[in-house]
Amino acid sequence: MIKKIFILSGLISFLGLSAQKTHTVLAKETPYGISKQYGLTVDELYRMNPSAKDNGLKIGDIIVVSKSSGGTKTVASTPASTNSVTKTGKTGTITLQPKQTIYGITKQYQISEADLRKLNPELDSHMKIGDKITLPLDNIQKFGGSAPAATAAVQTTTITEKPAEVKTVTKTETASSDKGLYVVQAKDNYYKISRQFNLTQKQLFALNPGLESSGLKPGETIRVSGSDSVATSSNNSIKVEDNSQSNTTSAPVTETTRQTTLSEPVKNSSNTASSEDDYVTYTVQSGDTMFSIMNRFNVTLDQLISLNPNLADGLKAGMTLKIKKQDPMYSKKAGDVLSVVLMLPFGFDANDAKYRTMSMDFLTGAKLAAERNATNGQKLDIKVVDAGNETTFKNSLSQINPDNTDLIVGPFFKSSVLEVLRFVNDKKIPVVAPFANSEDLFDYSNLIIVETENSVYSDRIVKEVGQVYQDQKIYIVADNSKANANAIKAGLEKSLSKPNVVIVNSSSEIQLENNMMTGQSVPVIAILADDDESAGAAFASKIINLGKQTEGVKAFSMFYSPSFEKNVDDLSRASLVYLMDRKINYDGDFEKEILAAYKVKYCKTPSKYAVIGFDVMNDMLTRENKKGEIFKQIGKSQTQLATKFEFVKAKPNGAYINNGYRVVRLMQ
């Protein structure tokens, strides 16, 4: 990024400061925090500093926080305190009292936080009761009042400062053009941003120290460029990558530690008024973060700050927090037998056979997984419930005993999943949605969403194309809905400079361009956004044909097709990159064992939905312990027969969603 720095004279600096009040941006400061400090809204701050909205804030930037001639809000913290320091050269100290915060000191003693930090370089590590805080002597005498803490230990220390100079930084790139930065929008959450920029939440937090504890704030600029995925290679022509940093088991993203013990009575009171019994206190320990506390006590950031306003100045070890009691996450109430309800839409009660074959196949795989875990010593009681269809579903809820159910797998449809979540809301029983995936499900903390969204795949394809794009024409082969193709096109038009993107209905419509000067064929980029097997075969055939006509054709696919494996050598000339999920590694020992067991039991190879049934049930049962605490192991990354499971929080205190997939590159 190119920066032009102009150093203005002390005279110009003085004239500028007389007309407006400024603030020097410090480490970890955000537009939200600065606007709050000076009694502004984020929009007001951006109106006074248009470049801050376009370019983001950098340490050392000087921004306007109030205009003396305008109608903006007056603020308590002014640069006048610095003038008093340079005018008299005298400072004093105050003794930090209980409940005093940085913000409180700046308000009481009429000093900006920037000036306070100049006088106290180690301010953050000297905010314990009894610590000495240096302030301009005039401010102590004028605003300290008669309190002993405000007048004690006054000393005259000469402060030497450099002549005033202002550095005005003019940035020639905007945040949107710097691919490493992103301005947080109003409805953003960790999952949405991680998905958009193809990061894990761990990578996002590593790129933005403190973000995990402070949360996302609209208008804040964060870093979103991450390291590439760790790659493994099975041979010289095929390279497989995970979307995560590692295939190994990882620590949980969040861990819920509150639980109901066997002897703890369940409180049920009709009195809605809050009392002290509704709250607990917690002393912050070294290593705690806002995020870890939020998840430990199942509360939101707003709930924490509303009860503990001093958190606005940061989380510090030793602080005592007041926290409203929340419903604990689910844990078994008795026994070591795991009671599982499997809800499948057979449709017998409605004489609806539409999903019956899918449900029967899913059940065969799930039964094999259950028998496998039972053989290994797990005690299971599995009840299969006919979930009917979306019209008759409510009748099936009567077959669930909320007081004796530890896990619910299914149903298939979003509307039915919502009905189940409402039905077991008070019990917080874990519910697994094998296929339903929608943002209106993200608020339920006891929901586990298995289906990876297509938008995760389309975002990755956009990133992959961007790495090889050199002004080629781009063709996208769409399915009937065109939803995936439109998402990829929108992403490319946002990330690339005026790309020529064409959506076609068939691979046969992909054509090479001709160079008007030389008459030679010009290579193109081709993308498959259709998961139909015949579409995959046609796409592979077309790419092979184009590769024979000219070099440099690049191919990408959102989905796996068997044709890709049959034509590895030919497709590697186009450096085909495709995303893979629910693909069986037939050479793996685990996979061979499961496939053989399925064939012995059912005398056939498993269908697509039988594989999904096995993977979902086996993954969930292997995460359970004898206490039914499935969420304590939800952070483990596991690959089953064909599916990779890597769950992340859709939002704090929200649902877990599978973000696992693999990237395959065919290489020459």
Side-chain angles (χ1 to χ4, degrees):
M1 183 182 293
I2 302 174
K3 295 184 179 180
K4 298 180 180 179
I5 303 178
F6 298 91
I7 303 179
L8 307 182
S9 66
L11 175 61
I12 297 176
S13 171
F14 175 78
L15 292 175
L17 289 175
S18 66
Q20 58 191 21
K21 298 173 184 176
T22 61
H23 174 85
T24 302
V25 179
L26 302 173
K28 297 184 180 181
E29 285 193 312
T30 65
Y32 175 81
I34 294 172
S35 60
K36 184 175 181 181
Q37 178 181 340
Y38 290 98
L40 304 169
T41 66
V42 174
D43 288 340
E44 288 173 334
L45 186 70
Y46 282 149
R47 278 200 294 272
M48 291 186 284
N49 302 273
S51 63
K53 185 172 184 178
D54 296 332
N55 306 327
L57 295 177
K58 298 289 183 294
I59 297 173
D61 283 358
I62 295 176
I63 60 174
V64 178
V65 293
S66 180
K67 294 183 180 179
S68 58
S69 60
T72 57
K73 300 178 182 179
T74 58
V75 294
S77 51
T78 72
S81 57
T82 302
N83 294 339
S84 68
V85 175
T86 56
K87 187 189 299 181
T88 66
K90 295 181 179 181
T91 61
T93 61
I94 63 170
T95 301
L96 197 64
Q97 301 298 303
K99 298 185 179 181
Q100 273 191 312
T101 63
I102 293 174
Y103 177 72
I105 292 171
T106 58
K107 286 193 67 175
Q108 179 179 352
Y109 292 97
Q110 299 288 289
I111 180 172
S112 71
E113 184 174 338
D115 293 336
L116 181 65
R117 291 183 181 277
K118 285 180 183 178
L119 295 175
N120 301 271
E122 305 297 326
L123 182 63
D124 290 329
S125 60
H126 288 80
M127 285 299 291
K128 299 187 293 295
I129 297 172
D131 283 349
K132 304 296 183 182
I133 305 297
T134 302
L135 294 167
L137 183 58
D138 291 346
N139 293 52
I140 293 177
Q141 293 173 340
K142 186 174 181 180
F143 305 112
S146 58
T151 57
V154 174
Q155 57 185 8
T156 57
T157 303
T158 302
I159 304 294
T160 304
E161 295 196 352
K162 295 179 181 180
E165 63 178 25
V166 175
K167 294 184 179 181
T168 303
V169 181
T170 304
K171 301 178 179 65
T172 59
E173 291 188 13
T174 65
S176 59
S177 65
D178 182 349
K179 294 182 180 179
L181 298 178
Y182 174 73
V183 178
V184 178
Q185 304 302 307
K187 294 184 179 181
D188 280 343
N189 55 52
Y190 296 134
Y191 170 73
K192 184 176 180 181
I193 293 176
S194 299
R195 185 188 70 187
Q196 180 176 347
F197 295 99
N198 196 42
L199 299 169
T200 65
Q201 288 186 19
K202 291 181 181 178
Q203 289 172 325
L204 182 66
F205 294 146
L207 288 169
N208 300 275
L211 182 65
E212 182 180 4
S213 57
S214 63
L216 295 169
K217 301 178 179 65
E220 177 183 14
T221 299
I222 62 174
R223 185 156 291 281
V224 293
S225 61
S227 58
D228 291 335
S229 304
V230 175
T232 59
S233 180
S234 57
N235 55 54
N236 293 330
S237 61
I238 302 178
K239 182 180 179 185
V240 181
E241 296 181 8
D242 266 299
N243 65 315
S244 61
Q245 289 181 302
S246 172
N247 286 329
T248 58
T249 298
S250 59
V253 177
T254 59
E255 182 175 344
T256 306
T257 57
R258 296 191 67 218
Q259 55 181 294
T260 305
T261 60
L262 302 184
S263 58
E264 184 178 350
V266 179
K267 296 180 179 179
N268 183 14
S269 174
S270 59
N271 183 9
T272 58
S274 296
S275 67
E276 286 303 314
D277 291 338
D278 296 326
Y279 301 91
V280 295
T281 58
Y282 175 73
T283 302
V284 179
Q285 306 298 310
S286 177
D288 278 344
T289 66
M290 293 283 278
F291 194 74
S292 67
I293 292 174
M294 286 159 55
N295 281 279
R296 178 171 186 174
F297 294 98
N298 195 29
V299 295
T300 65
L301 182 62
D302 289 341
Q303 288 171 330
L304 266 181
I305 293 179
S306 66
L307 292 173
N308 305 274
N310 55 333
L311 282 177
D313 296 321
L315 187 71
K316 300 177 180 65
M319 294 175 67
T320 300
L321 303 179
K322 183 178 182 180
I323 301 171
K324 183 173 177 60
K325 291 180 182 178
Q326 303 292 323
D327 292 333
M329 287 302 293
Y330 179 82
S331 64
K332 282 179 66 62
K333 298 171 180 62
D336 57 357
V337 175
L338 195 68
S339 297
V340 180
V341 171
L342 182 56
M343 304 189 74
L344 302 174
F346 297 107
F348 289 116
D349 60 347
N351 196 26
D352 182 358
K354 183 177 181 180
Y355 295 99
R356 193 167 300 160
T357 300
M358 181 194 304
S359 299
M360 292 296 294
D361 287 351
F362 189 97
L363 179 60
T364 61
K367 285 177 65 177
L368 181 64
E371 291 169 2
R372 176 183 173 83
N373 283 272
T375 302
N376 292 333
Q378 194 171 38
K379 298 180 180 179
L380 298 171
D381 178 12
I382 298 180
K383 180 178 183 179
V384 180
V385 173
D386 179 10
N389 58 27
E390 291 183 274
T391 304
T392 64
F393 174 75
K394 287 187 178 181
N395 298 332
S396 64
L397 291 176
S398 61
Q399 300 179 57
I400 300 175
N401 179 2
D403 295 320
N404 190 34
T405 300
D406 301 310
L407 177 68
I408 299 174
V409 177
F412 287 179
F413 313 113
K414 184 187 78 170
S415 60
S416 301
V417 171
L418 286 169
E419 292 284 355
V420 172
L421 289 166
R422 297 185 189 108
F423 183 73
V424 302
N425 181 58
D426 294 338
K427 306 294 182 181
K428 295 294 182 183
I429 300 170
V431 177
V432 181
F435 302 109
N437 187 338
S438 176
E439 285 199 18
D440 50 358
L441 294 172
F442 289 177
D443 290 326
Y444 295 88
S445 60
N446 57 320
L447 179 63
I448 301 170
I449 299 173
V450 170
E451 190 82 355
T452 304
E453 290 185 308
N454 279 344
S455 57
V456 174
Y457 299 130
S458 62
D459 290 344
R460 181 58 185 247
I461 291 295
V462 169
K463 179 179 178 180
E464 293 290 335
V465 173
Q467 293 174 352
V468 301
Y469 175 72
Q470 294 180 340
D471 293 327
Q472 305 101 311
K473 187 172 183 178
I474 302 174
Y475 287 92
I476 305 175
V477 181
D479 56 13
N480 291 333
S481 73
K482 291 186 170 56
N484 295 327
N486 287 329
I488 294 175
K489 182 179 181 181
L492 292 172
E493 290 175 342
K494 181 179 179 181
S495 61
L496 303 179
S497 177
K498 297 181 180 179
N500 183 5
V501 183
V502 178
I503 295 178
V504 295
N505 297 317
S506 169
S507 296
S508 62
E509 299 179 55
I510 302 174
Q511 302 294 330
L512 295 176
E513 296 291 288
N514 288 320
N515 188 313
M516 301 297 293
M517 300 292 292
T518 65
Q520 295 179 336
S521 296
V522 178
V524 296
I525 291 176
I527 303 170
L528 178 64
D530 187 347
D531 64 348
D532 182 76
E533 191 169 317
S534 61
F539 183 78
S541 178
K542 185 66 177 182
I543 296 303
I544 293 170
N545 182 266
L546 294 177
K548 292 177 180 178
Q549 298 180 48
T550 187
E551 294 184 356
V553 174
K554 301 294 182 183
F556 302 86
S557 176
M558 278 182 62
F559 307 102
Y560 160 79
S561 170
S563 299
F564 298 163
E565 286 188 345
K566 296 175 183 177
N567 300 280
V568 169
D569 291 337
D570 290 330
L571 291 173
S572 64
R573 294 173 187 165
S575 302
L576 174 65
V577 176
Y578 61 90
L579 308 184
M580 181 173 65
D581 191 16
R582 294 181 178 145
K583 172 67 174 65
I584 300 174
N585 173 20
Y586 291 96
D587 296 325
D589 292 337
F590 172 76
E591 289 82 358
K592 288 179 180 178
E593 177 189 341
I594 301 305
L595 291 172
Y598 189 93
K599 193 163 188 177
V600 168
K601 185 174 180 64
Y602 298 109
C603 300
K604 61 180 180 179
T605 56
S607 68
K608 173 183 176 180
Y609 291 103
V611 171
I612 296 173
F614 175 87
D615 283 358
V616 171
M617 183 63 80
N618 199 57
D619 190 78
M620 293 301 113
L621 293 182
T622 54
R623 294 179 192 273
E624 289 276 13
N625 60 22
K626 291 183 178 180
K627 295 182 180 179
E629 297 166 325
I630 191 171
F631 294 110
K632 287 200 170 184
Q633 301 189 78
I634 199 69
K636 290 194 303 182
S637 176
Q638 299 184 159
T639 300
Q640 300 297 336
L641 184 57
T643 313
K644 179 176 175 58
F645 294 93
E646 185 172 284
F647 293 102
V648 298
K649 278 281 194 181
K651 58 173 63 176
N653 302 311
Y656 287 93
I657 184 169
N658 185 20
N659 210 22
Y661 63 90
R662 287 163 282 183
V663 181
V664 180
R665 305 177 188 279
L666 303 188
M667 306 170 65
Q668 291 188 12

